[in-house]
Amino acid sequence: MLPKCMDRMLLVLVARRQLCSQPFRRMSYHRFELQQPIYDTDYLLDPANADQIEANILLRKGVGDIRLVHELQERLQGGVTGESRRQLADRLQTELGKLPNRTHPRLLSYEGKPRLVRRYNEPQIERATNDHRPHYEFGDICKRMNLYRMEALGNFTGHRSYYLLDELAELEHALIGYTVERLLQEQFRLISVPDLLPARIIESCGMSTTGTRNQVYKVTSGGPADDSRDVLCLSGTSEMALAGYFAGRALPGERLPLRLAAVSRCYRAETSALHEEKGIYRVHQFTKVEMFAICRPDQSAGVLRQFRDIEVSLFEQLGLPFVLLDMPACELGAPAYRKYDIEAWMPGRQMYGEISSCSDCTDYQARRLGIRVDGAQQQPFAHTVNGTACAIPRMLIALLENFQNEDYTVSIPEPLQRHMHGKQVLRRRKVLPELKLTKRLQQEELVCTV
């Protein structure tokens, strides 16, 4: 009789043999389902509004075709049946989804130019202008200080990738800590979000996943190649995951607004050949702290102002010189009803560069994702608001270019120092010594060359 341990081993071997004898089966995959968007057809399909909608489309970079939408609607009403009717209905839904949000009436008078709301920390710009010493661009500063690498990475990490080293990597985490701490003080709810999202969620938030110039990285999920529902994408911002979290839900009006925050990696296929946007100014992936809110329709304008004021406060406390801009219609993405941008002065580039924005998307995303206000009758769909609290690469550019010193050090703003263990200055790092071949390896190399 075999010992019990031997019995167990035999059972394991038999189980393994049975498992190996079974034919290989592909892992199952999840089909993502989301209810059809509920567009404001009372407004969009009313012929009396066609001219107004078309004018709005022209202001918003010409995306969408309201005349085609009305044509498809007329054909559907003409008694088409069967498969043709389903195809027409699907196409109508697609074309409705391309139409941009309405535009805040105040923006119509801006004539395509941002409206300056206010300048902050202007004395720093004046001091930098009167100071005749050179101000180096971020990449030059980092090379002198050995704090990052962006060159010769194409063979293993791809174009527009980068490494942050030592104290520069610490500064990245300090910025995240500083920002998250402030948002928690403002009673935001912190959520960790996934980076992989279904294409439908991304499109519902207003970013196209199709076409030759879209900014979205796609990842196959193992489903049928022709089934777009199974396409997963790398998220371009945590706003999308936060919005998707509430898809198909009705939220009690008395609990709104819900203010959420997330720290995530953001992936974008965009690139630029502009000299001003070289280096890490525009890259394929970066870390960002995002603010997102779901609110009642009567709250979204106020929440947008709150987000704007939080962003201003965060950057003002760091001592950055920047401007707050109310953006014109031509600068709004499809979901936005109104948007504020913040541009920081970057003396190494001699330009203002965008470091943050916040947008009121009204019910654009909520209608596509089915996010409702429970019990609301006249305006059942919620409103969404988003804002960038901290986009790491451009914040690093602004900080290093504004606070560089003559001795090739960089002063750390006081609010960030306690997030960097009390460090007050970024200093030049010694280059790692080159690894020298041992005598044996040198001899082997000589033998190989003979």
Side-chain angles (χ1 to χ4, degrees):
M1 185 174 179
L2 294 173
K4 289 185 178 180
C5 62
M6 295 294 292
D7 286 341
R8 285 195 293 270
M9 290 178 64
L10 285 172
L11 288 173
V12 170
L13 289 172
V14 170
R16 285 181 178 175
R17 178 175 293 180
Q18 290 175 346
L19 181 63
C20 292
S21 64
Q22 294 177 358
F24 174 75
R25 293 182 297 179
R26 294 184 66 180
M27 293 182 65
S28 62
Y29 57 88
H30 173 70
R31 286 183 179 274
F32 177 75
E33 299 292 346
L34 187 66
Q35 67 182 49
Q36 282 286 343
I38 303 176
Y39 301 111
D40 186 2
T41 51
D42 290 342
Y43 171 74
L44 295 173
L45 298 181
D46 186 345
N49 298 325
D51 290 343
Q52 183 185 51
I53 296 170
E54 189 170 46
N56 184 54
I57 291 171
L58 292 174
L59 284 173
R60 306 285 291 267
K61 302 179 181 178
V63 178
D65 187 343
I66 190 61
R67 304 297 176 183
L68 176 58
V69 167
H70 286 186
E71 178 188 330
L72 293 171
Q73 175 67 5
E74 290 173 4
R75 290 168 62 185
L76 274 173
Q77 292 174 339
V80 180
T81 59
E83 186 65 26
S84 297
R85 182 174 182 83
R86 283 192 293 271
Q87 291 175 353
L88 274 177
D90 289 343
R91 190 178 177 194
L92 176 60
Q93 285 287 310
T94 300
E95 294 301 324
L96 282 168
K98 294 178 182 179
L99 299 176
N101 200 351
R102 302 189 202 189
T103 302
H104 192 290
R106 184 175 180 179
L107 309 186
L108 303 180
S109 64
Y110 288 7
E111 298 181 349
K113 296 180 180 179
R115 182 67 56 89
L116 176 65
V117 179
R118 186 179 167 186
R119 298 180 182 273
Y120 294 84
N121 293 326
E122 279 189 287
Q124 283 200 204
I125 300 179
E126 294 175 5
R127 284 197 298 270
T129 303
N130 296 329
D131 185 359
H132 298 293
R133 67 183 176 87
H135 285 80
Y136 296 105
E137 185 268 330
F138 172 84
D140 296 329
I141 299 170
C142 290
K143 287 176 186 176
R144 289 173 179 271
M145 299 176 69
N146 301 315
L147 290 178
Y148 102 133
R149 180 182 172 188
M150 196 173 184
E151 297 176 346
L153 299 180
N155 289 337
F156 55 94
T157 61
H159 180 57
R160 292 275 177 175
S161 57
Y162 58 95
Y163 285 78
L164 305 180
L165 309 176
D166 302 310
E167 291 175 341
L168 193 59
E170 288 184 51
L171 184 57
E172 174 182 27
H173 287 276
L175 281 166
I176 294 170
Y178 162 72
T179 306
V180 169
E181 181 181 68
R182 171 62 187 279
L183 296 183
L184 291 177
Q185 290 172 356
E186 296 285 345
Q187 304 302 309
F188 279 73
R189 183 182 178 188
L190 187 63
I191 298 181
S192 181
V193 298
D195 292 333
L196 281 173
L197 296 175
R200 179 73 179 277
I201 289 288
I202 292 177
E203 290 174 350
S204 297
C205 289
M207 182 175 284
S208 174
T209 63
T210 59
T212 56
R213 300 189 66 181
N214 77 83
Q215 301 176 12
V216 178
Y217 286 108
K218 295 179 182 177
V219 182
T220 57
S221 62
D226 59 346
D227 193 341
S228 61
R229 293 175 301 176
D230 294 313
V231 174
L232 292 175
C233 303
L234 289 172
S235 175
T237 169
S238 58
E239 165 201 342
M240 300 170 180
L242 292 171
Y245 182 80
F246 293 94
R249 296 172 65 177
L251 305 173
E254 63 273 13
R255 291 181 54 196
L256 301 179
L258 288 177
R259 300 193 304 168
L260 314 171
V263 182
S264 73
R265 295 291 278 178
C266 304
Y267 302 87
R268 300 182 186 179
E270 63 183 346
T271 187
S272 172
L274 296 176
H275 177 76
E276 296 83 1
E277 297 185 351
K278 68 178 181 178
I280 66 170
Y281 188 91
R282 193 175 299 279
V283 288
H284 290 316
Q285 69 177 55
F286 59 95
T287 303
K288 182 160 70 100
V289 185
E290 183 78 0
M291 300 181 290
F292 183 77
I294 297 176
C295 54
R296 299 193 308 267
D298 62 308
Q299 296 173 323
S300 61
V303 172
L304 178 66
R305 289 192 295 270
Q306 291 173 4
F307 280 20
R308 178 197 67 189
D309 293 344
I310 289 171
E311 292 171 355
V312 165
S313 176
L314 284 167
F315 307 139
E316 190 175 24
Q317 289 181 31
L318 293 177
L320 287 174
F322 63 92
V323 293
L324 174 63
L325 304 172
D326 192 2
M327 302 307 289
C330 62
E331 294 293 335
L332 304 186
Y337 174 71
R338 190 175 192 180
K339 183 178 80 153
Y340 290 99
D341 274 7
I342 292 178
E343 295 185 356
W345 175 245
M346 299 176 178
R349 298 162 190 259
Q350 288 294 298
M351 60 171 262
Y352 281 95
E354 181 189 341
I355 59 171
S356 179
S357 67
C358 55
S359 302
D360 179 0
C361 296
T362 61
D363 62 359
Y364 181 96
Q365 295 172 333
R367 283 183 173 275
R368 287 157 171 76
L369 292 169
I371 306 173
R372 298 172 179 268
V373 179
D374 193 21
Q377 299 297 326
Q378 293 184 339
Q379 293 179 304
F381 289 98
H383 280 198
T384 59
V385 180
N386 65 77
T388 300
C390 182
I392 293 298
R394 295 191 187 179
M395 284 297 292
L396 292 177
I397 292 172
L399 289 172
L400 267 66
E401 292 193 9
N402 277 287
F403 301 127
Q404 58 183 291
N405 302 312
E406 291 187 64
D407 59 352
Y408 304 119
T409 62
V410 176
S411 298
I412 301 171
E414 186 176 350
L416 299 177
Q417 291 175 12
R418 65 187 188 84
H419 295 279
M420 294 189 67
H421 309 289
K423 291 180 182 177
Q424 298 180 356
V425 176
L426 299 182
R427 300 186 183 279
R428 188 176 190 275
R429 305 295 294 179
K430 292 183 178 180
V431 179
L432 292 174
E434 295 182 4
L435 296 176
K436 295 183 179 180
L437 294 173
T438 63
K439 186 174 182 180
R440 177 182 172 185
L441 289 176
Q442 289 176 343
Q443 290 174 345
E444 289 178 357
E445 190 176 72
L446 287 172
V447 170
C448 292
T449 57
V450 174

